Amino acid sequence: MNITVIGLGHVGLVHAAAMAAIGHDVIGIDSDRARIATLLNGEVPFHEPGLSEEVHRQRRAGRLEFTNDPHVAYSGSEVAFICVGTPALPNGKADLSAVEAAARELERSSAPGGLVVVEKSTVPPGTHELLRRLLRADMCVASNPEFLREGTAMTDTLNPDRIVVGTDEAFADAVMRDVYSTMTDSGTRYVATSVATAELAKHACNSFLATKISFINAIANLCDAVGADVSQVAGVMGSDPRIGPDFLEAGLGYGGFCFPKDVAALSETFYDHGIVEASLLLQQVQRINRGMIGHVIAKLTRYVGLLPGSRVAVLGLAFKPGTDDTRYSPAVSLARTLERRGARVSTWDPKVRNVEELHAKPYPDIYNACRGAKAIILATEWDDIHRMSFARLADVMDGTTIIDARNMLSDSERSRAAAAGLSVIGVGQGEEVPACAWI
Ligand code: UGA
């Protein structure tokens, strides 16, 4: 089939490559001319394992093209996936201006004759009504939410747990079943719903996962207060199949471009519909999440002392391992908060080259970042951290404290750290922190 993908960010570019990989002819369009030039030059503008290889493979096979020209992008297109950004406005609601602009362009530039326009970007329930108003009567609307995770985006997209397609039109339903027939033929579950259901299901998934993380982080804070161990509590909870073990890792909290904005947007949607208690629930989820930065800093001041002038090394800046994405990264918020409180902060990340909000660029080498540090905070669970030498670390540091803000070190790593004279303090492992931890 002829498919157009509008918006070539983390979701759009991966989706375009995946659609080509399952045999479709795909053309990607983006309003950012520099991004198209980069892609036409054979480069992928961000780090995502396997993506660059897949893009090259599909370009060589002649199934994947990029353009800035709407007429080229939409001529002959049967399905157009809208994958543009939907960032949070200052009031927490989703900014749909890029979705609107894409719909107007589709209305102007596409040929008549049954184009199926698909919302792939995460949008609030009801956005299909806006699209309906903006598109021509001969066009259909569907919602096909994306469940990929950064860092494993290519594998997630090519091997999804389920394909969710919401549409209220029989023609769009038939077309979308064709789009995914290769995957459904090999056994992937296809969930057909109304458009509103598909839109809401995506928000429900992200907010539920974020709630799970904030819940375990609240338990971690209680563990610190009462001398319990959050990893064991999470193990007990996770072994109940009704709860499940995933997304129960306590630490610095969730970040990235999806969870923070999606939780805020669903909270606003609840409020708009008068379901105030649920709006407040999600506000508390966000508060607990932000509070984890203060909780970790309180541990630091308790174990290392006052911050002004002290050198602190933050290891990891990406919002999670496997990506160079620092948008809404708790690691960056932590480093910025430490800077604001007067600490001299040095950072390291294997993929992130610069973060504008921070005073200094990250070091490409862990030991240089930790030189002279009173304390080190492990902020993103990169594998390189497991390979570091605690003896070398102890040599270059000026102090002896490692705050494991992601509970990533194993018991044997902790023993090796102890043998090198370093003490490791985790999150929710029974170390009491003062109540003023909340910021
Ligand atoms: C998330 C969802 O997991 C995807 O299903 C969804 O498609 C995507 O958002 C989206 O809406 O586009 P992603 O943002 O890539 O994917 O990252 P996750 O792997 O979900 O992690 C989000 C954050 O939660 C990270 O900062 C991670 O460190 C944190 N996290 C995750 C925890 O703090 N604890 C956990 O147990 C799990």
Side-chain angles (χ1 to χ4, degrees):
M1 297 182 79
N2 291 321
I3 288 181
T4 306
V5 174
I6 308 162
L8 298 170
H10 280 86
V11 170
L13 188 55
V14 171
H15 187 63
M19 288 293 99
I22 60 170
H24 298 301
D25 289 316
V26 182
I27 185 151
I29 179 165
D30 197 295
S31 55
D32 181 348
R33 290 185 167 269
R35 174 156 294 213
I36 294 294
T38 305
L39 289 165
L40 289 174
N41 215 14
E43 291 161 44
V44 166
F46 48 85
H47 173 74
E48 181 60 49
L51 176 60
S52 178
E53 293 81 346
E54 196 61 62
V55 167
H56 287 141
R57 201 173 304 129
Q58 298 311 325
R59 302 254 307 137
R60 274 198 305 277
R63 283 193 291 265
L64 181 58
E65 261 307 322
F66 302 113
T67 184
N68 289 123
D69 184 343
H71 294 284
V72 175
Y74 305 133
S75 75
S77 178
E78 297 164 270
V79 182
F81 285 94
I82 300 183
C83 302
V84 296
T86 51
L89 289 165
N91 63 6
K93 290 185 192 291
D95 179 354
L96 295 177
S97 54
V99 173
E100 252 186 85
R104 288 186 200 284
E105 189 63 76
L106 274 164
E107 193 270 337
R108 266 197 306 273
S109 307
S110 65
L115 176 67
V116 179
V117 178
V118 188
E119 301 166 347
K120 193 84 185 158
S121 312
T122 304
V123 290
T127 305
H128 63 280
E129 287 163 11
L130 169 77
L131 287 184
R132 265 266 134 270
R133 284 198 299 279
L134 294 171
L135 298 172
R136 295 191 309 266
D138 64 300
M139 297 164 131
C140 298
V141 175
S143 163
N144 172 214
E146 183 55 66
F147 298 102
L148 65 81
R149 291 157 301 168
E150 285 185 31
T152 50
M154 212 58 243
T155 336
D156 288 349
T157 308
L158 288 170
N159 310 285
D161 302 326
R162 72 291 204 202
I163 297 161
V164 178
V165 177
T167 180
D168 303 329
E169 289 151 287
F171 177 73
D173 180 55
V175 170
M176 293 305 287
R177 284 177 192 272
D178 267 1
V179 168
Y180 287 109
S181 58
T182 323
M183 289 179 175
T184 48
D185 286 353
S186 57
T188 307
R189 200 169 141 229
Y190 188 93
V191 185
T193 69
S194 69
V195 199
T197 303
E199 287 172 342
L200 182 53
K202 165 69 190 202
H203 268 292
C205 287
N206 275 7
S207 291
F208 187 78
L209 291 171
T211 303
K212 229 177 153 186
I213 296 170
S214 279
F215 186 84
I216 201 65
N217 280 334
I219 295 289
N221 295 338
L222 191 55
C223 284
D224 273 334
V226 303
D229 181 333
V230 72
S231 306
Q232 290 185 341
V233 176
V236 173
M237 288 172 67
S239 60
D240 183 331
R242 292 169 302 176
I243 298 174
D246 295 334
F247 282 70
L248 287 178
E249 277 162 33
L252 258 191
Y254 63 79
F257 195 59
C258 302
F259 282 3
K261 78 171 168 64
D262 292 350
V263 175
L266 187 58
S267 174
E268 286 299 311
T269 309
F270 274 130
Y271 193 85
D272 288 348
H273 290 271
I275 309 166
V276 177
E277 296 74 13
S279 175
L280 293 174
L281 168 72
L282 292 185
Q283 282 175 33
Q284 292 307 326
V285 166
Q286 297 172 77
R287 270 195 93 193
I288 293 171
N289 195 54
R290 285 193 295 271
M292 294 316 290
I293 310 269
H295 191 75
V296 166
I297 291 179
K299 276 176 186 283
L300 183 71
T301 48
R302 179 183 169 93
Y303 288 96
V304 182
L306 291 172
L307 289 173
S310 301
R311 180 161 292 285
V312 179
V314 174
L315 301 188
L317 289 170
F319 82 96
K320 65 173 190 177
T323 175
D324 56 359
D325 196 345
T326 56
R327 291 175 297 175
Y328 302 98
S329 167
V332 172
S333 302
L334 171 74
R336 281 194 62 193
T337 311
L338 290 170
E339 278 183 350
R340 275 204 302 272
R341 297 204 186 171
R344 292 187 298 136
V345 180
S346 49
T347 60
W348 161 87
D349 192 283
K351 293 288 174 212
V352 178
R353 293 287 153 258
N354 193 23
V355 179
E356 274 177 19
E357 302 105 285
L358 297 178
H359 285 147
K361 284 195 172 181
Y363 283 92
D365 173 79
I366 290 187
Y367 306 101
N368 283 336
C370 297
R371 195 170 301 283
K374 278 254 173 281
I376 294 173
I377 305 181
L378 309 183
T380 312
E381 315 91 303
W382 285 108
D383 276 347
D384 312 47
I385 292 178
H386 293 295
R387 291 193 285 271
M388 67 192 183
S389 149
F390 291 106
R392 253 185 98 184
L393 219 50
D395 265 358
V396 297
M397 283 176 72
D398 191 28
T400 55
T401 305
I402 298 179
I403 309 263
D404 183 0
R406 290 287 181 186
N407 287 347
M408 63 177 291
L409 296 183
S410 63
D411 287 346
S412 77
E413 285 168 326
R414 282 171 160 251
S415 310
R416 280 195 282 119
L422 300 172
S423 56
V424 177
I425 293 139
V427 173
Q429 295 180 335
E431 296 116 351
E432 198 194 326
V433 288
C436 69
W438 300 94
I439 53 169

